[in-house]
Amino acid sequence: MIVHLAALWRGDIPLGQAFWEYAIAYGTIANIVATAAAIATLAAGLPDALAIFVFLMPLPYILTAVVGVVRSADKYRGPAQWATIAKIAVILWGVVMILH
């Protein structure tokens, strides 16, 4: 997994895979799981600081996915509009994942 994250960070993952698999699928799942775990932490009466920590755990991955997709888009050899659309979409996705 570490090797894949390093390749993602460098933009060495093909654009479609970086966007759909690493950002949209894995990133969204990580965010949903962290949100549910943070809510469960609060419901269990554990410290608020722990719930905040759990909630923010996916942040490094989300930032890695956004950077990786942008870098993959920079290396994309297909139609330029797809690279541009992917960059805009992943940045918007990242903002939504962080601010939800």
Side-chain angles (χ1 to χ4, degrees):
M1 183 67 167
I2 302 279
V3 173
H4 294 287
L5 289 176
L8 176 63
W9 178 260
R10 291 188 307 268
D12 292 342
I13 305 284
L15 180 57
Q17 184 180 8
F19 181 82
W20 289 109
E21 184 178 342
Y22 286 91
I24 302 302
Y26 298 155
T28 302
I29 290 168
N31 214 32
I32 291 168
V33 169
T35 300
I39 291 168
T41 300
L42 290 172
L46 296 171
D48 292 350
L50 179 59
I52 292 169
F53 174 78
V54 169
F55 181 76
L56 295 176
M57 282 179 66
L59 186 59
Y61 180 81
I62 291 166
L63 295 175
T64 299
V66 169
V67 169
V69 170
V70 168
R71 288 179 176 172
S72 291
D74 288 341
K75 295 178 181 181
Y76 184 64
R77 297 292 173 226
Q81 69 267 21
W82 289 118
T84 301
I85 291 168
K87 286 179 182 181
I88 293 167
V90 80
I91 290 167
L92 291 174
W93 169 84
V95 168
V96 169
M97 293 296 104
I98 292 168
L99 297 179
H100 82 280

